Structures are given as C-alpha cells and as structure tokens.
Amino acid sequence: MLSPQTAEQAREWYQTGVSRIGSESVQIGITHLERAIAVFAEAGDRRHLTYARHYILLGQVLEERFEEAEALFPNVMQGYTELGESYGQALLLCHLADAQAHQGRWQRAYSLYNLATVVAENDQHKEVVLHALWQQGHLCRQRDNLMQAVKLFQRAERLLEKDEPRHRLAQFRFRRAQVLSVLGETAEAIALLEDVQTHLVSMHQSQAAMEPLGLLRRLYEDEGLEKERTRISQLMHLTGQRMIQADMLPRPVEHLGPPIDRELAA
C-alpha cells in the first residue's frame, strides 16, 4: 500500500511535469511525469495515469518525437475510453493530428481533426472544436484549398458570435479576410477587416490590430482608394503610439489555438 507521502510526492511530480511541458522545458517535464506514472500505476489511479501519459505524448509532439507519440497514443486513448472522457479523447486526436501535420501527412491530419470535431461536438466541448477548425483552416490555406478554409473559419465564427469578449471572433474573421483577399474577394475582405480593426482598436488590443490594419491599408491601396488608405495609415500610427505608451513590443499576432492543454490538469 502506498504511503500518503508517496502519493503526495507523485502529485507534486505530476504538477511539476505539467508546468515544465507548458513552459517548453519538455524533457524535464517528461522525467517528472514518468516518476509520477509509476506511482499512479501502482495505486490504480487511472485518471491521473491517463493525464500524465497524455502530457508525455504532448511533450513528444513538441519535441518532434512523432514515432514515440504515435506509439503512446493507443494507451492514452484506452485510458480516456475507460474513463468515459470525451474531452480528453477529442484533444488527444488533435495532438495526434498535429504530429501528422508536422510530418506533411496532410490528409491524415485533416481526417483526425475532423474526428476530433465530431467527438467534441457530441458533448459540446466548444474549445476543442474551435482548435480543430483553426488547424484545419490553416491546413487548407497551406494546401491552397482556399474555399474550404473560408467555410471552416465561418463555421468557427458562428460558434463564437455570442461569446464575450469578442476578440477571438475578430481573429477568426481576420483569417477569413486574409483568404478572401487571396481569392480576389476584395470587397468582402475589406468589410471584414473594418469590423475586425474597429473591434480590436476599441478594445485597446493594439498589438493584435496591427496586422489586420496592415492588410486593410494594402487592399485600399490596391483599389486606388487613397483617402481610405490614408485614414488607415493614420490609424496605424496612432495604434503604434498606443503600443509604445503601453511598453508593448510589436510581435506577430498569436495563433488562435486555444490554451486548452492545461485543462487536463486536475
């Protein structure tokens, strides 16, 4: 029988492992999780055993150790199946899809994201659905399947229309506007970008607003709309000043992949 001290130590190893993988000290995280797994297995703690294995799989994906991650997948999925946890199943499918995408297995990755979406939708795990749709849209953009990317982003937007705060909706709309601009649907792209920049600027999301503003300025310039281009240029200048005042360094807008991995931690 495990002592209370050993059980407490295992929980500490687990939490340390999760936090280390989250901070990208992956190998240290895996080492702590492997220590915890030995205790969880002896205690018959199926829940934390499954979670710890999932985090190791995630760490392996982050380190591009894809064969190891794929080998661990059946064990983790079996654990979630026994626990009846559809959230974990859907998220695990997303992580396996990430591994496939990194290896250039586009169709396999797309199919896994599809399956993750079906599993997540059945139990209304919206965050996982949004993550899968974001990644599928990105795959479609990479493979020049632009109309499908537009449809995927629109589907995500419908899920977010009633959400607050609305900056996630704005970012999905920005991605759709990017694709529409490539398709030559300039008027629709401009309308979306005006909505996006208005929202982000009004919410003082200055950093996030810069990339949509830049694309909007270019589209107005391409259309020969000098007055509108000048307006957006001035707005970009003001937004940049706000960033400086807030001591924010410009960097790329973050991807929308929701921060859902940490929700596995108990």
Side-chain angles (χ1 to χ4, degrees):
M1 183 176 178
L2 292 174
S3 69
Q5 292 82 3
T6 302
E8 180 61 30
Q9 182 68 70
R11 285 191 290 270
E12 290 178 6
W13 286 332
Y14 172 76
Q15 294 293 350
T16 299
V18 168
S19 64
R20 288 289 189 169
I21 286 177
S23 64
E24 297 187 2
S25 300
V26 175
Q27 191 50 55
I28 296 174
I30 288 175
T31 299
H32 280 83
L33 289 167
E34 286 174 341
R35 292 174 182 167
I37 281 173
V39 179
F40 295 151
E42 185 177 349
D45 186 346
R46 169 62 65 180
R47 182 167 175 258
H48 282 93
L49 181 62
T50 300
Y51 291 178
R53 284 174 173 164
H54 191 161
Y55 270 102
I56 287 177
L57 183 148
L58 176 59
Q60 291 167 340
V61 172
L62 291 172
E63 288 202 322
E64 300 187 1
R65 292 156 54 183
F66 300 125
E67 290 186 4
E68 294 175 64
E70 290 177 38
L72 187 54
F73 173 83
N75 259 341
V76 183
M77 182 58 77
Q78 181 181 349
Y80 281 128
T81 301
E82 293 175 2
L83 291 168
E85 292 195 10
S86 58
Y87 176 86
Q89 293 173 24
L91 186 57
L92 179 64
L93 287 165
C94 283
H95 289 149
L96 184 60
D98 293 342
Q100 298 295 312
H102 276 100
Q103 296 173 86
R105 299 172 183 169
W106 312 108
Q107 191 56 51
R108 176 63 173 157
Y110 193 91
S111 297
L112 286 166
Y113 287 128
N114 259 343
L115 182 56
T117 300
V118 171
V119 172
E121 282 183 329
N122 285 341
D123 288 322
Q124 299 182 337
H125 300 305
K126 186 168 71 172
E127 292 295 338
V128 184
V129 175
L130 290 171
H131 179 77
L133 291 174
W134 175 265
Q135 299 289 33
Q136 283 184 300
H138 181 63
L139 284 178
C140 286
R141 289 176 64 193
Q142 286 182 312
R143 305 299 292 169
D144 292 326
N145 189 354
L146 301 183
M147 288 304 301
Q148 182 63 16
V150 168
K151 292 176 182 178
L152 289 162
F153 291 141
Q154 282 180 315
R155 184 177 169 189
E157 289 168 43
R158 287 193 291 270
L159 290 176
L160 288 166
E161 281 175 349
K162 295 181 180 179
D163 275 19
E164 295 293 345
R166 294 175 67 82
H167 65 272
R168 292 197 306 169
L169 174 61
Q171 290 186 348
F172 269 107
R173 284 182 173 165
F174 169 53
R175 297 306 179 203
R176 180 157 64 97
Q178 284 182 309
V179 178
L180 288 168
S181 70
V182 175
L183 286 168
E185 300 291 341
T186 304
E188 187 175 355
I190 285 174
L192 283 170
L193 289 165
E194 286 286 7
D195 177 77
V196 167
Q197 69 87 6
T198 297
H199 172 77
L200 293 176
V201 171
S202 68
M203 292 294 294
H204 304 292
Q205 298 281 332
S206 300
Q207 185 177 350
M210 289 300 285
E211 195 175 358
L213 284 167
L215 177 56
L216 188 56
R217 180 176 64 178
R218 180 175 65 78
L219 291 178
Y220 279 137
E221 184 174 4
D222 291 346
E223 292 296 299
L225 299 171
E226 183 60 27
K227 182 178 179 181
E228 296 300 332
R229 187 200 68 80
T230 300
R231 173 176 64 86
I232 296 301
S233 293
Q234 292 171 344
L235 186 54
M236 288 183 72
H237 176 74
L238 291 172
T239 303
Q241 290 298 312
R242 289 178 183 173
M243 289 172 63
I244 293 170
Q245 292 168 7
D247 195 28
M248 294 174 63
L249 296 175
R251 55 183 184 272
V253 177
E254 293 180 0
H255 287 290
L256 277 187
I260 51 182
D261 300 322
R262 292 181 181 275
E263 294 183 14
L264 286 175

